Structures are given as structure tokens and as C-alpha cells.
Amino acid sequence: MICRALILSLVVAAAAGPALAAKPAAEPSKDAPAGQYVDVSPVAIPIMAEGRLINYVFVNMRIQLTASADAAKWRAKEPYFRDALARIGNRMSFTDPKNYAAVDAPRLVDAFTREATAIAGKNVKAVVITSQTPKQRLGLPRPGAASGGVRREIQP
């Protein structure tokens, strides 16, 4: 009976050891509000060259909100931001003249900042591109080349 109690207490101590040794999680800083942003789902931005569609770049955007903004309210409006990004992406060209696998980031950020500010007003602090993923990287014409079409080289 004493052996059984001893074994049981050792099993309980072994199971409780890691829980007691774990450090408590650090509390988030109260100075900087966490999560004051809205992530916009990827939107395909067309890349045009010489009047032809040659690629799409899928762009993720983040709208950074002010400290006083209600982040949950603006996250619920994410479809409005995504729609605005899709509309400006199709209304004007954001083709990077040096790289057909990327967008002209400064122009796109400027244009989308105006749209985001029209939706969220003074709650918009900044807009950044978090990622760009081209649909294709190979088989694109060289930027600045006057080839008139997509150039594909075939190796024998």
C-alpha cells in the first residue's frame, strides 16, 4: 500500500514538473496597441506592356491604423478595402517599368492610401505592401525591349 502511494505521488510529480517550471507569458506592452491594422486579402493586379496583358501580380496590403481606431470595426470592412484595391488595379497601370514580375510599389501605395483614407478617414495611419507574388516569372518580355510580344527562348 505504501509502494502504491509512493508510485502514484511520483507519477503526479513527474506530470506536474514541466507545468511548474514553465515561465509565465510576458504581457503585451500597454504603450503600443497590438493589432492596429487591417490585412487586405490578395488581389491580382494586371501587368501591361505595350498595350498587352503579360502577367498578374498578387498583392497583399496592410492598412496600419491609428492608435485610437477601432481595429475590429475596420477589419469587418476588409471587403470594401479589397474591392477598392481591385478597382484601382484595373483602372490604372501599376506596371514596374524595370520588372514585369512586380508592381510599381510607390505608385500603388499612394493610390491605395487615397482609397483607404476615403473609406476609413482619419483612422488610416499608413499603407504598406506586405507581399507580391507574380503569376509567372519566366517567359516574360524584357522590360524596355520593343519586341512587340512575349519572348520565349527554346533550348535545343
Side-chain angles (χ1 to χ4, degrees), residues 40-56:
V40 179
S41 297
V43 173
I45 304 295
I47 302 298
M48 306 290 288
E50 299 176 11
R52 294 180 48 173
L53 175 67
I54 59 168
N55 202 4
Y56 283 101

Side-chain angles (χ1 to χ4, degrees), residues 88 91-92 94 105-116:
I88 65 169
R91 187 170 51 226
M92 56 181 51
F94 294 102
R107 286 188 59 235
L108 181 59
V109 168
D110 279 349
F112 187 60
T113 299
R114 287 190 297 274
E115 295 293 324

Side-chain angles (χ1 to χ4, degrees), residues 10-116:
L10 288 174
V11 169
V12 169
L20 294 174
K23 294 179 183 177
E27 292 184 26
S29 171
K30 292 178 180 145
D31 297 335
Q36 287 299 102
Y37 58 84
V38 176
D39 281 333
V40 179
S41 297
V43 173
I45 304 295
I47 302 298
M48 306 290 288
E50 299 176 11
R52 294 180 48 173
L53 175 67
I54 59 168
N55 202 4
Y56 283 101
V57 175
F58 296 90
V59 177
N60 289 24
M61 303 287 277
R62 175 172 281 181
I63 302 165
Q64 297 173 341
L65 302 171
T66 60
S68 61
D70 182 2
K73 171 187 171 186
W74 295 114
R75 282 192 189 108
K77 302 277 186 182
E78 188 272 343
Y80 294 97
F81 292 116
R82 188 171 2 111
D83 180 63
L85 180 57
R87 287 177 187 267
I88 65 169
N90 287 294
R91 187 170 51 226
M92 56 181 51
S93 176
F94 294 102
T95 302
D96 185 343
K98 297 176 185 166
N99 183 4
Y100 291 152
V103 295
D104 185 356
R107 286 188 59 235
L108 181 59
V109 168
D110 279 349
F112 187 60
T113 299
R114 287 190 297 274
E115 295 293 324

Side-chain angles (χ1 to χ4, degrees), residues 3-18:
C3 278
R4 199 180 269 178
L6 182 61
I7 293 172
L8 183 60
S9 65
L10 288 174
V11 169
V12 169

